[in-house]
Protein backbone atom coordinates (compact mmCIF):
# COMPACT_ATOMS: atom_id res chain seq x y z
CA UNK A 1 0.00 0.00 0.00
CA UNK A 2 1.40 3.38 -1.04
CA UNK A 3 2.02 6.04 1.58
CA UNK A 4 -0.73 8.57 0.87
CA UNK A 5 -1.27 9.86 4.42
CA UNK A 6 2.08 10.72 6.02
CA UNK A 7 0.24 12.72 8.66
CA UNK A 8 -3.36 12.38 9.87
CA UNK A 9 -5.73 13.78 7.21
CA UNK A 10 -7.39 17.12 8.00
CA UNK A 11 -10.50 18.41 6.32
CA UNK A 12 -14.25 18.99 6.29
CA UNK A 13 -17.11 16.53 5.92
CA UNK A 14 -20.70 17.47 5.08
CA UNK A 15 -22.55 14.96 7.32
CA UNK A 16 -22.79 16.83 10.63
CA UNK A 17 -24.52 19.82 9.09
CA UNK A 18 -26.31 18.49 5.99
CA UNK A 19 -26.84 14.77 6.51
CA UNK A 20 -27.44 13.10 3.14
CA UNK A 21 -28.65 16.26 1.42
CA UNK A 22 -25.57 18.42 0.74
CA UNK A 23 -25.50 20.33 -2.54
CA UNK A 24 -22.78 21.43 -4.93
CA UNK A 25 -23.10 25.06 -3.78
CA UNK A 26 -22.58 24.02 -0.15
CA UNK A 27 -19.57 21.88 -0.98
CA UNK A 28 -17.95 24.69 -2.97
CA UNK A 29 -18.76 27.30 -0.33
CA UNK A 30 -17.01 25.30 2.37
CA UNK A 31 -14.08 24.61 0.05
CA UNK A 32 -13.66 28.33 -0.56
CA UNK A 33 -13.70 28.99 3.19
CA UNK A 34 -11.11 26.27 3.79
CA UNK A 35 -8.85 27.60 1.06
CA UNK A 36 -9.01 31.12 2.52
CA UNK A 37 -8.79 30.47 6.26
CA UNK A 38 -7.61 26.91 6.97
CA UNK A 39 -5.36 25.71 4.17
CA UNK A 40 -2.27 27.48 5.63
CA UNK A 41 -2.72 25.35 8.77
CA UNK A 42 -2.80 22.01 6.93
CA UNK A 43 -6.52 21.53 6.29
CA UNK A 44 -7.01 20.17 2.77
CA UNK A 45 -9.76 17.54 2.27
CA UNK A 46 -13.31 18.50 1.27
CA UNK A 47 -15.51 15.41 1.62
CA UNK A 48 -19.04 14.97 0.27
CA UNK A 49 -20.77 12.49 2.54
CA UNK A 50 -23.50 9.91 1.96
CA UNK A 51 -26.13 9.64 -0.78
CA UNK A 52 -24.85 12.21 -3.26
CA UNK A 53 -26.62 9.95 -5.79
CA UNK A 54 -30.08 10.32 -4.15
CA UNK A 55 -32.10 13.07 -5.88
CA UNK A 56 -34.72 13.45 -3.12
CA UNK A 57 -32.43 13.40 -0.06
CA UNK A 58 -33.44 16.17 2.34
CA UNK A 59 -31.72 15.42 5.65
CA UNK A 60 -30.28 12.61 7.74
CA UNK A 61 -33.37 10.39 7.52
CA UNK A 62 -32.92 8.07 4.55
CA UNK A 63 -35.73 7.50 2.08
CA UNK A 64 -36.13 3.72 1.93
CA UNK A 65 -35.60 2.16 -1.49
CA UNK A 66 -35.33 5.55 -3.19
CA UNK A 67 -34.60 5.65 -6.91
CA UNK A 68 -30.88 6.39 -7.23
CA UNK A 69 -28.86 8.05 -10.00
CA UNK A 70 -26.93 5.23 -11.71
CA UNK A 71 -25.18 4.55 -15.00
CA UNK A 72 -25.58 1.52 -17.27
CA UNK A 73 -22.73 -0.32 -15.50
CA UNK A 74 -24.32 -0.44 -12.02
CA UNK A 75 -22.28 2.56 -10.80
CA UNK A 76 -23.90 5.32 -8.76
CA UNK A 77 -23.40 8.84 -10.12
CA UNK A 78 -24.14 12.31 -8.69
CA UNK A 79 -27.77 13.45 -8.64
CA UNK A 80 -27.90 16.20 -11.27
CA UNK A 81 -30.49 18.29 -9.41
CA UNK A 82 -28.07 18.61 -6.46
CA UNK A 83 -24.82 18.63 -8.45
CA UNK A 84 -25.63 20.44 -11.70
CA UNK A 85 -22.05 20.42 -12.98
CA UNK A 86 -22.30 16.60 -13.24
CA UNK A 87 -24.76 16.80 -16.14
CA UNK A 88 -23.80 15.17 -19.40
CA UNK A 89 -22.00 12.25 -17.77
CA UNK A 90 -19.30 14.44 -16.22
CA UNK A 91 -19.80 13.05 -12.72
CA UNK A 92 -17.82 14.80 -10.00
CA UNK A 93 -15.00 15.79 -12.36
CA UNK A 94 -16.00 19.48 -12.68
CA UNK A 95 -16.49 19.86 -8.92
CA UNK A 96 -13.19 18.13 -8.14
CA UNK A 97 -11.42 20.36 -10.68
CA UNK A 98 -12.68 23.50 -8.93
CA UNK A 99 -11.58 22.18 -5.54
CA UNK A 100 -8.16 21.18 -6.87
CA UNK A 101 -7.76 24.67 -8.34
CA UNK A 102 -8.05 26.00 -4.77
CA UNK A 103 -5.10 23.82 -3.75
CA UNK A 104 -7.37 21.38 -1.90
CA UNK A 105 -8.35 17.72 -2.27
CA UNK A 106 -11.76 16.19 -2.94
CA UNK A 107 -13.36 13.21 -1.24
CA UNK A 108 -16.59 11.23 -1.39
CA UNK A 109 -18.52 8.77 0.77
CA UNK A 110 -19.73 5.42 -0.56
CA UNK A 111 -21.60 2.48 0.92
CA UNK A 112 -20.06 -0.97 0.84
CA UNK A 113 -21.51 -3.11 -1.94
CA UNK A 114 -23.52 -2.84 -5.15
CA UNK A 115 -26.81 -0.91 -5.55
CA UNK A 116 -29.92 -2.97 -4.86
CA UNK A 117 -31.61 -1.35 -7.84
CA UNK A 118 -28.76 -2.60 -10.05
CA UNK A 119 -29.36 -6.11 -8.73
CA UNK A 120 -33.10 -5.88 -9.23
CA UNK A 121 -32.61 -4.60 -12.79
CA UNK A 122 -29.72 -7.02 -13.36
CA UNK A 123 -27.59 -4.35 -14.99
CA UNK A 124 -24.13 -4.85 -16.51
CA UNK A 125 -20.73 -4.60 -14.83
CA UNK A 126 -17.94 -2.98 -16.79
CA UNK A 127 -15.06 -5.29 -17.71
CA UNK A 128 -16.90 -8.60 -17.32
CA UNK A 129 -19.82 -10.57 -18.70
CA UNK A 130 -21.16 -10.97 -15.16
CA UNK A 131 -24.13 -8.88 -14.06
CA UNK A 132 -25.07 -7.16 -10.82
CA UNK A 133 -27.35 -10.00 -9.76
CA UNK A 134 -24.54 -12.53 -10.11
CA UNK A 135 -22.10 -10.73 -7.79
CA UNK A 136 -24.53 -9.59 -5.10
CA UNK A 137 -24.55 -11.12 -1.64
CA UNK A 138 -28.25 -10.48 -1.08
CA UNK A 139 -28.30 -11.56 2.57
CA UNK A 140 -25.57 -8.99 3.33
CA UNK A 141 -27.38 -5.69 3.85
CA UNK A 142 -26.86 -2.55 5.89
CA UNK A 143 -28.97 -2.29 9.05
CA UNK A 144 -29.70 1.41 8.60
CA UNK A 145 -29.65 2.13 4.86
CA UNK A 146 -31.42 0.35 2.00
CA UNK A 147 -29.18 1.38 -0.91
CA UNK A 148 -26.87 -1.62 -1.25
CA UNK A 149 -26.31 -5.36 -1.16
CA UNK A 150 -22.90 -6.73 -0.27
CA UNK A 151 -20.58 -8.07 -2.96
CA UNK A 152 -19.57 -11.74 -2.92
CA UNK A 153 -15.81 -11.88 -3.46
CA UNK A 154 -16.03 -15.49 -4.67
CA UNK A 155 -18.13 -14.58 -7.69
CA UNK A 156 -16.81 -13.78 -11.13
CA UNK A 157 -17.19 -10.06 -11.71
CA UNK A 158 -16.95 -9.03 -8.05
CA UNK A 159 -13.47 -7.54 -8.26
CA UNK A 160 -14.30 -6.09 -11.68
CA UNK A 161 -17.25 -4.23 -10.12
CA UNK A 162 -15.05 -2.61 -7.49
CA UNK A 163 -12.37 -1.89 -10.08
CA UNK A 164 -14.96 -0.18 -12.25
CA UNK A 165 -16.23 2.17 -9.57
CA UNK A 166 -12.75 3.19 -8.40
CA UNK A 167 -11.63 3.70 -11.99
CA UNK A 168 -14.62 6.03 -12.33
CA UNK A 169 -13.67 7.90 -9.15
CA UNK A 170 -10.09 8.21 -10.40
CA UNK A 171 -11.37 9.73 -13.65
CA UNK A 172 -13.31 12.27 -11.59
CA UNK A 173 -10.21 13.24 -9.60
CA UNK A 174 -11.25 11.82 -6.22
CA UNK A 175 -8.52 11.90 -3.56
CA UNK A 176 -10.32 10.43 -0.54
CA UNK A 177 -12.98 7.71 -0.23
CA UNK A 178 -14.92 7.04 2.96
CA UNK A 179 -16.46 3.55 2.78
CA UNK A 180 -19.37 2.95 5.13
CA UNK A 181 -20.99 -0.13 6.72
CA UNK A 182 -17.71 -2.00 6.68
CA UNK A 183 -15.78 -2.12 9.97
CA UNK A 184 -18.17 -2.00 12.92
CA UNK A 185 -19.29 -4.39 15.64
CA UNK A 186 -22.51 -2.63 16.64
CA UNK A 187 -24.65 -3.91 13.78
CA UNK A 188 -23.01 -7.34 13.49
CA UNK A 189 -22.54 -8.58 17.07
CA UNK A 190 -22.39 -12.22 15.95
CA UNK A 191 -19.82 -11.56 13.22
CA UNK A 192 -17.72 -8.49 14.00
CA UNK A 193 -15.53 -7.26 11.17
CA UNK A 194 -17.22 -9.68 8.78
CA UNK A 195 -16.45 -7.66 5.67
CA UNK A 196 -12.74 -8.44 5.28
CA UNK A 197 -13.25 -9.68 1.73
CA UNK A 198 -14.85 -6.43 0.63
CA UNK A 199 -12.13 -4.37 2.31
CA UNK A 200 -9.53 -6.38 0.40
CA UNK A 201 -11.38 -5.96 -2.91
CA UNK A 202 -11.57 -2.21 -2.31
CA UNK A 203 -7.85 -2.09 -1.52
CA UNK A 204 -7.06 -3.91 -4.78
CA UNK A 205 -9.39 -1.61 -6.72
CA UNK A 206 -7.63 1.48 -5.39
CA UNK A 207 -4.19 0.05 -6.08
CA UNK A 208 -5.07 -0.64 -9.72
CA UNK A 209 -6.95 2.60 -10.50
CA UNK A 210 -3.86 4.75 -11.13
CA UNK A 211 -4.72 7.50 -8.64
CA UNK A 212 -3.68 7.87 -5.01
CA UNK A 213 -6.65 7.88 -2.64
CA UNK A 214 -6.96 7.88 1.12
CA UNK A 215 -9.19 4.98 2.24
CA UNK A 216 -11.33 5.63 5.31
CA UNK A 217 -13.53 2.89 6.86
CA UNK A 218 -16.71 3.55 8.84
CA UNK A 219 -18.51 3.28 11.16
CA UNK A 220 -16.93 1.97 14.34
CA UNK A 221 -16.17 0.64 16.73
CA UNK A 222 -13.37 -1.07 14.85
CA UNK A 223 -12.13 -4.35 16.32
CA UNK A 224 -8.72 -3.98 18.01
CA UNK A 225 -7.95 -7.64 17.28
CA UNK A 226 -8.06 -6.76 13.58
CA UNK A 227 -5.58 -3.88 13.81
CA UNK A 228 -3.05 -5.62 11.59
CA UNK A 229 -5.58 -6.17 8.80
CA UNK A 230 -6.81 -2.59 9.07
CA UNK A 231 -3.28 -1.20 8.86
CA UNK A 232 -2.52 -3.36 5.81
CA UNK A 233 -5.55 -2.21 3.85
CA UNK A 234 -6.84 1.17 5.07
CA UNK A 235 -5.51 4.61 5.99
CA UNK A 236 -8.24 5.47 8.51
CA UNK A 237 -10.79 3.47 10.47
CA UNK A 238 -13.38 4.61 12.94
CA UNK A 239 -13.15 3.90 16.67
CA UNK A 240 -16.78 4.73 17.35
CA UNK A 241 -20.23 4.99 15.86
CA UNK A 242 -21.18 8.52 14.79
CA UNK A 243 -19.71 10.92 17.32
CA UNK A 244 -21.89 13.83 18.44
CA UNK A 245 -21.70 16.82 20.74
CA UNK A 246 -22.47 15.31 24.12
CA UNK A 247 -20.14 14.79 27.07
CA UNK A 248 -20.69 11.01 27.58
CA UNK A 249 -19.59 10.39 23.99
CA UNK A 250 -16.45 12.47 24.50
CA UNK A 251 -15.68 10.82 27.84
CA UNK A 252 -15.89 7.38 26.20
CA UNK A 253 -13.24 8.36 23.65
CA UNK A 254 -10.48 8.42 26.27
CA UNK A 255 -10.61 4.64 26.72
CA UNK A 256 -10.85 4.03 22.97
CA UNK A 257 -7.84 6.25 22.30
CA UNK A 258 -5.83 4.53 25.02
CA UNK A 259 -6.49 1.11 23.46
CA UNK A 260 -5.65 2.22 19.92
CA UNK A 261 -2.66 4.50 20.66
CA UNK A 262 -0.04 1.78 19.89
CA UNK A 263 -1.44 1.48 16.35
CA UNK A 264 -1.15 5.15 15.37
CA UNK A 265 1.47 5.80 12.70
CA UNK A 266 2.32 6.96 9.21
CA UNK A 267 -0.34 5.96 6.65
CA UNK A 268 -2.63 4.34 9.25
CA UNK A 269 -4.68 6.54 11.55
CA UNK A 270 -7.33 5.29 13.98
CA UNK A 271 -10.17 7.77 13.59
CA UNK A 272 -12.11 9.40 16.45
CA UNK A 273 -14.68 10.70 13.92
CA UNK A 274 -15.72 14.20 12.99
CA UNK A 275 -15.48 17.34 15.08
CA UNK A 276 -19.06 18.52 15.79
CA UNK A 277 -18.03 22.16 16.13
CA UNK A 278 -19.70 25.40 15.17
CA UNK A 279 -23.01 25.34 13.25
CA UNK A 280 -24.24 21.75 12.89
CA UNK A 281 -27.53 19.90 12.40
CA UNK A 282 -28.70 22.29 9.67
CA UNK A 283 -30.49 19.48 7.82
CA UNK A 284 -29.63 16.69 10.22
CA UNK A 285 -31.63 15.45 13.18
CA UNK A 286 -29.12 12.90 14.45
CA UNK A 287 -28.49 12.53 18.18
CA UNK A 288 -31.87 13.96 19.13
CA UNK A 289 -31.36 17.52 17.99
CA UNK A 290 -31.45 19.53 14.78
CA UNK A 291 -30.20 22.98 13.68
CA UNK A 292 -27.88 24.23 16.42
CA UNK A 293 -24.50 25.47 17.46
CA UNK A 294 -22.37 22.76 19.06
CA UNK A 295 -23.70 21.75 22.48
CA UNK A 296 -20.17 21.21 23.79
CA UNK A 297 -19.03 23.85 26.26
CA UNK A 298 -15.91 25.77 25.33
CA UNK A 299 -13.91 23.67 27.80
CA UNK A 300 -15.27 20.48 26.23
CA UNK A 301 -14.36 21.75 22.78
CA UNK A 302 -10.79 22.35 23.90
CA UNK A 303 -10.71 18.88 25.50
CA UNK A 304 -11.93 17.27 22.28
CA UNK A 305 -9.42 19.13 20.11
CA UNK A 306 -6.60 18.28 22.52
CA UNK A 307 -7.41 14.57 22.77
CA UNK A 308 -7.86 14.19 18.99
CA UNK A 309 -4.57 16.03 18.41
CA UNK A 310 -2.30 14.36 20.96
CA UNK A 311 -3.70 10.96 19.93
CA UNK A 312 -3.25 12.02 16.27
CA UNK A 313 -6.70 11.20 15.01
CA UNK A 314 -7.66 12.55 11.60
CA UNK A 315 -9.35 15.94 12.02
CA UNK A 316 -12.57 16.35 10.05
CA UNK A 317 -14.56 19.49 10.80
CA UNK A 318 -18.30 18.78 10.81
CA UNK A 319 -19.86 22.24 10.99
CA UNK A 320 -20.87 24.69 8.28
CA UNK A 321 -17.58 26.56 8.14
CA UNK A 322 -18.97 29.70 6.55
CA UNK A 323 -20.84 30.28 9.83
CA UNK A 324 -17.75 29.90 12.03
CA UNK A 325 -17.40 32.50 14.76
CA UNK A 326 -13.93 33.66 15.86
CA UNK A 327 -13.90 31.12 18.70
CA UNK A 328 -14.53 28.14 16.40
CA UNK A 329 -11.95 29.36 13.90
CA UNK A 330 -9.42 29.74 16.72
CA UNK A 331 -9.88 26.07 17.65
CA UNK A 332 -9.00 25.01 14.11
CA UNK A 333 -5.99 27.29 13.71
CA UNK A 334 -4.16 26.80 17.03
CA UNK A 335 -0.63 26.43 15.68
CA UNK A 336 0.84 24.92 18.83
CA UNK A 337 -1.85 22.24 19.01
CA UNK A 338 -1.58 21.46 15.29
CA UNK A 339 2.19 21.00 15.74
CA UNK A 340 1.42 18.28 18.30
CA UNK A 341 -1.03 16.71 15.86
CA UNK A 342 1.43 16.82 12.98
CA UNK A 343 4.71 16.00 14.76
CA UNK A 344 3.80 14.03 17.89
CA UNK A 345 5.07 10.49 18.32
CA UNK A 346 4.47 7.72 20.85
CA UNK A 347 1.41 9.26 22.47
CA UNK A 348 0.01 7.33 25.39
CA UNK A 349 -2.21 7.70 28.41
CA UNK A 350 -0.04 7.58 31.53
CA UNK A 351 -2.62 7.72 34.28
CA UNK A 352 -6.31 7.97 35.03
CA UNK A 353 -7.28 8.59 38.62
CA UNK A 354 -9.43 10.88 40.71
CA UNK A 355 -11.05 12.39 37.63
CA UNK A 356 -7.77 13.39 36.00
CA UNK A 357 -6.35 11.77 32.86
CA UNK A 358 -2.73 12.41 31.82
CA UNK A 359 -1.37 11.96 28.27
CA UNK A 360 2.15 12.48 26.91
CA UNK A 361 3.59 12.79 23.42
CA UNK A 362 7.04 13.74 22.10
CA UNK A 363 7.39 15.91 19.02
CA UNK A 364 10.00 15.28 16.34
CA UNK A 365 11.90 18.41 17.40
CA UNK A 366 12.38 17.00 20.90
CA UNK A 367 9.66 18.96 22.66
CA UNK A 368 7.27 17.14 24.98
CA UNK A 369 3.52 17.63 25.17
CA UNK A 370 1.79 16.85 28.45
CA UNK A 371 -2.00 17.07 28.57
CA UNK A 372 -4.04 16.78 31.77
CA UNK A 373 -7.81 16.35 31.35
CA UNK A 374 -10.36 16.95 34.09
CA UNK A 375 -13.26 14.59 33.36
CA UNK A 376 -15.06 15.42 36.60
CA UNK A 377 -17.93 17.86 37.00
CA UNK A 378 -15.99 20.02 39.49
CA UNK A 379 -12.81 22.05 39.19
CA UNK A 380 -9.68 20.03 39.97
CA UNK A 381 -6.17 20.88 41.09
CA UNK A 382 -3.71 19.00 38.84
CA UNK A 383 -0.20 18.09 39.98
CA UNK A 384 1.95 16.06 37.59
CA UNK A 385 5.51 14.97 38.31
CA UNK A 386 7.01 15.31 34.85
CA UNK A 387 9.65 12.64 35.46
CA UNK A 388 6.84 10.12 35.91
CA UNK A 389 5.65 10.74 32.35
CA UNK A 390 9.12 10.64 30.82
CA UNK A 391 10.10 14.33 30.93
CA UNK A 392 13.40 14.49 32.82
CA UNK A 393 15.24 17.63 31.69
CA UNK A 394 14.77 21.23 32.81
CA UNK A 395 12.33 22.80 30.36
CA UNK A 396 10.71 26.02 29.29
CA UNK A 397 6.97 25.69 28.89
CA UNK A 398 4.04 27.19 27.00
CA UNK A 399 0.38 26.34 27.49
CA UNK A 400 -1.45 25.54 24.25
CA UNK A 401 -4.76 27.07 25.37
CA UNK A 402 -3.25 29.83 27.56
CA UNK A 403 -4.61 28.10 30.67
CA UNK A 404 -2.73 29.31 33.80
CA UNK A 405 -0.19 26.81 35.17
CA UNK A 406 2.90 26.57 37.38
CA UNK A 407 6.07 24.65 36.49
CA UNK A 408 8.37 24.27 39.49
CA UNK A 409 10.94 21.65 40.48
CA UNK A 410 9.83 19.22 37.79
CA UNK A 411 6.17 19.46 38.73
CA UNK A 412 3.38 20.81 36.53
CA UNK A 413 0.35 22.12 38.38
CA UNK A 414 -2.74 24.18 37.78
CA UNK A 415 -6.46 24.50 38.31
CA UNK A 416 -8.48 22.79 35.58
CA UNK A 417 -12.18 23.61 35.09
CA UNK A 418 -14.80 20.85 34.76
CA UNK A 419 -14.44 18.91 31.48
CA UNK A 420 -11.45 21.11 30.64
CA UNK A 421 -7.76 20.47 30.13
CA UNK A 422 -4.25 21.76 30.73
CA UNK A 423 -1.97 21.13 27.75
CA UNK A 424 1.68 22.19 27.93
CA UNK A 425 4.49 22.11 25.39
CA UNK A 426 7.89 21.68 27.07
CA UNK A 427 11.18 22.49 25.36
CA UNK A 428 14.79 22.65 26.49
CA UNK A 429 15.89 25.82 28.25
CA UNK A 430 18.24 27.71 25.94
Amino acid sequence: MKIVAKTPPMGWNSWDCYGASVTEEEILGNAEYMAKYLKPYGWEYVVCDIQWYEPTADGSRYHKFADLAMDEYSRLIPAENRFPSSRGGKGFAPLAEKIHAMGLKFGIHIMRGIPRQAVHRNTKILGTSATARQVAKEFSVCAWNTDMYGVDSHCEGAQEYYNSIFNLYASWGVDFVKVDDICNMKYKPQEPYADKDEIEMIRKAIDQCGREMVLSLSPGPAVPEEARHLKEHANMWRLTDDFWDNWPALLAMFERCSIWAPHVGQNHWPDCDMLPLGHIGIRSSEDGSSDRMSRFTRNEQKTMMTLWSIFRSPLMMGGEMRDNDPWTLSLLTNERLLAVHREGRGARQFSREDGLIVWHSRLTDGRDCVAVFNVDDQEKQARVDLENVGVTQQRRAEEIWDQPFVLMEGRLSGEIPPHGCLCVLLGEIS
Side-chain angles (χ1 to χ4, degrees), residues 285-315:
S285 54
E286 294 297 295
D287 201 43
S289 187
S290 54
D291 195 346
R292 65 189 185 277
M293 297 301 288
S294 178
R295 295 174 297 192
F296 280 136
T297 67
R298 287 194 170 187
N299 284 322
E300 289 166 349
Q301 291 176 44
K302 289 192 288 188
T303 287
M304 175 179 61
M305 288 296 298
T306 303
L307 179 61
W308 267 231
S309 295
I310 196 169
F311 173 70
R312 303 190 79 199
S313 169
L315 299 179

Side-chain angles (χ1 to χ4, degrees), residues 28 51 82 96 110 153 181 188 198 215 234 237 274 289 302 310-311 354 377 391 405 418:
L28 281 173
Q51 284 199 321
R82 293 169 52 198
I110 66 171
S153 65
D181 188 40
K188 301 165 187 160
E198 290 205 62
L215 174 59
W237 55 90
M274 285 179 281
S289 187
K302 289 192 288 188
I310 196 169
F311 173 70
D354 193 29
D377 297 330
V391 182
F405 71 96

